[in-house]
Amino acid sequence: MSLLPAWGEGLPPSQPLRVPSVLHLIGNTPMLEITTMTRGLSPRVRVFAKLEGFNPGGSVKDRPALCMVEEGLRSGVLLPGKTILDSTSGNTGIALAMVGAVLGYPVELVMPANVSIERKKIILAYGAKVTFSSEFEGSDGAIRLCRQILHDAPERYFKPDQYFNEANPSAHYRTTGPEIWQQTQGQVTHFLAGIGTGGTVMGTGRFLKERNPHVQVVAVEPDDAFHGLEGLKHMASSIVPGIYHEHELDRKIPVATEDAYETVYHLGKEEGVLVGQSSGAALWAALKVAREIDEGTIVTIFPDFGDKYLSTTLWRGWTDFHQRDRARRSAV
Amino acid sequence: MSVRVRVPTPLRRFTGGAEEVSVAGTTIATLVEDLEKNHPGIKERICDDEGKIRRFVNIFVNGDDIRFLDNLETAIKDGDEVSIVPAIAGG
């Protein structure tokens, strides 16, 4: 039987057939059950991932970007003639560039020079201007340079300031949390998300805990300050975002870069899902939790798909992995 | 003989906060050993258990990626500038 729905059938009611702009397609992302990589776990444990790559800008950041800009418009801080300015390691920049293009506001972004070439090109394609900060200083360097640009001409800009803007977690409180609650029919027991700004884990976690205080909210972070997990922050060694409140978490799970990369390779080969390194980290941590419990419904976030990372170091180890995997299979 | 090594922010905790350090060596491999001698703990951040450069780390000699030169055996000479750059931009 074909899995393709017949025309006009099988589409979820939340998925409109016509929309007036791409911004209306943000959110309501599907949730995928991980079925192959969970073999050997207790049959009472289920693991799901929200596929945020289905957002029109290609990532989870569409949600906070739209929410922060809408809040700027509502409060009157973002006025015609102003330029949207922010620092980003990529996905928020793409999302702001898309939102700005639709609403007619110019966008300027400050990004570390070593972000992936795909991200740079996508942002430029949306018509945004990019200023590069030092590749030696990561996203903290971009934050500092962005503050300087704003300081020099504050009247020119509206800075959403994703690291300090409560509209960021609010977007997830209003959308991601309710979607997960509905998609699991209130059965979610554990929620895990990688931390970059902390917006996803904070906002979604707050909503889920309001519905069920027993839901465990877990942050996933790199295991060291020097890491290869694009989009994730090692909080102990970073400028801590104002929206990040560690006391609201039940737990943090550190993930090694190599473990996250290998999980990405497994996801492609075994689940047919090509994602970026932050999704690999999220699933590695989710599977760690899954192995510790006998019963539960674990939900994590896959922030985007993998096409933006094909040029990055994520795929440097792919050949070795493939050879090892082939040898392992032929030995069985 | 010494070369200048530019150090990224996450590794500056090993160099006492210095953005740049002077290191001795004739190849990248010997340079990494000298870095470790003077700044203990830094090598395992740059190299994996087998001693290879971790895949998310880029090392440049005068702007050229050593993966396109001779990797760890890339020769360095007095006055060269070596940069250690994380391949990703962080969160």
Side-chain angles (χ1 to χ4, degrees):
Chain A
M1 195 182 80
S2 174
L3 291 176
L4 288 171
W7 175 248
E9 296 172 13
L11 293 169
S14 58
Q15 202 67 40
L17 289 170
R18 291 182 191 179
V19 288
S21 83
V22 291
L23 304 185
H24 291 76
L25 296 172
I26 293 174
N28 280 319
T29 54
M31 202 165 76
L32 171 76
E33 181 158 14
I34 305 298
T35 53
T36 304
M37 293 174 70
T38 49
R39 279 183 192 148
L41 295 175
S42 162
R44 292 178 295 281
V45 175
R46 302 178 77 181
V47 178
F48 295 90
K50 285 278 274 179
L51 300 182
E52 291 297 303
F54 276 103
N55 283 297
S59 87
V60 66
K61 295 293 193 176
D62 285 5
R63 299 174 190 261
L66 179 60
C67 195
M68 290 187 295
V69 170
E70 283 181 338
E71 178 57 24
L73 290 168
R74 191 198 62 75
S75 62
V77 181
L78 175 55
L79 296 165
K82 284 206 172 190
T83 293
I84 298 169
L85 168 77
D86 217 344
S87 58
T88 165
S89 66
N91 277 332
T92 302
I94 291 171
L96 286 172
M98 178 186 71
V99 172
V102 173
L103 299 179
Y105 285 89
V107 176
E108 285 185 30
L109 301 163
V110 184
M111 306 169 76
N114 52 335
V115 297
S116 75
I117 187 72
E118 294 92 334
R119 290 181 180 208
K120 293 175 187 170
K121 287 188 170 180
I122 292 168
I123 286 171
L124 292 173
Y126 281 121
K129 178 187 167 191
V130 180
T131 301
F132 294 113
S133 56
S134 166
E135 69 266 39
F136 290 94
E137 296 178 12
S139 57
D140 285 356
I143 290 172
R144 285 190 286 267
L145 179 57
C146 188
R147 284 176 181 167
Q148 186 60 48
I149 292 170
L150 179 69
H151 178 264
D152 291 346
E155 69 289 349
R156 278 191 60 200
Y157 295 110
F158 163 70
K159 188 171 185 292
D161 210 351
Q162 60 165 336
Y163 296 95
F164 291 86
N165 188 336
E166 283 302 326
N168 175 355
S170 171
H172 296 287
Y173 180 88
R174 287 166 47 192
T175 65
T176 318
E179 287 171 34
I180 290 171
W181 188 256
Q182 185 184 39
Q183 286 168 315
T184 62
Q185 296 168 318
Q187 298 299 303
V188 56
T189 57
H190 297 74
F191 172 70
L192 296 89
I195 39 176
T197 65
T200 309
V201 78
M202 288 293 132
T204 309
R206 261 173 222 153
F207 177 88
L208 295 176
K209 275 191 178 289
E210 274 181 20
R211 290 300 171 109
N212 176 3
H214 299 297
V215 172
Q216 296 291 293
V217 176
V218 182
V220 179
E221 70 169 356
D223 68 344
D224 191 80
F226 195 53
H227 66 89
L229 300 176
E230 183 89 52
L232 299 190
K233 246 185 194 304
H234 181 257
M235 284 299 174
S237 59
S238 304
I239 296 174
V240 178
I243 59 169
Y244 176 72
H245 306 293
E246 200 157 293
H247 65 273
E248 293 183 37
L249 302 172
D250 292 294
R251 181 179 180 186
K252 284 204 297 180
I253 296 182
V255 181
T257 296
E258 286 80 3
D259 289 334
Y261 284 15
E262 299 248 327
T263 307
V264 170
Y265 307 152
H266 281 287
L267 270 165
K269 286 187 68 134
E270 295 168 33
E271 304 283 347
V273 186
L274 177 63
V275 292
Q277 41 271 65
S278 60
S279 301
L283 184 62
W284 188 90
L287 293 175
K288 176 180 168 65
V289 172
R291 285 190 291 271
E292 295 170 356
I293 61 176
D294 186 53
E295 185 173 1
T297 298
I298 300 167
V299 177
T300 191
I301 300 286
F302 285 180
D304 56 11
F305 287 129
D307 44 356
K308 288 195 288 280
Y309 306 97
L310 294 175
S311 73
T312 70
T313 57
L314 170 60
W315 295 100
R316 267 184 194 156
W318 165 246
T319 314
D320 291 346
F321 169 80
H322 192 55
Q323 283 168 353
R324 280 201 312 276
D325 195 48
R326 254 201 321 227
R328 183 179 60 81
R329 283 167 194 259
S330 60
V332 172
Chain B
M1 194 196 86
S2 76
V3 296
R4 289 181 298 133
V5 178
R6 297 188 70 190
V7 180
T9 310
L11 292 182
R12 289 178 195 163
R13 66 195 146 125
F14 298 104
T15 61
E19 296 176 24
E20 196 173 289
V21 293
S22 285
V23 179
T26 53
T27 64
I28 293 296
T30 56
L31 174 145
V32 170
E33 291 305 324
D34 196 56
L35 261 180
E36 175 65 17
K37 195 173 79 184
N38 292 304
H39 310 285
I42 201 167
K43 182 183 174 184
E44 70 173 283
R45 291 341 194 259
I46 300 170
C47 299
D48 64 19
D49 296 341
E50 297 171 11
K52 292 185 195 161
I53 301 293
R54 290 185 185 275
R55 54 184 117 150
F56 62 90
V57 180
N58 290 322
I59 297 183
F60 298 94
V61 177
N62 301 326
D64 293 324
D65 190 334
I66 63 164
R67 286 189 174 84
F68 301 110
L69 300 171
D70 291 323
N71 255 311
L72 281 166
E73 296 313 311
T74 300
I76 46 174
K77 59 184 187 308
D78 206 14
D80 279 349
E81 183 182 274
V82 174
S83 301
I84 303 168
V85 182
I88 59 98

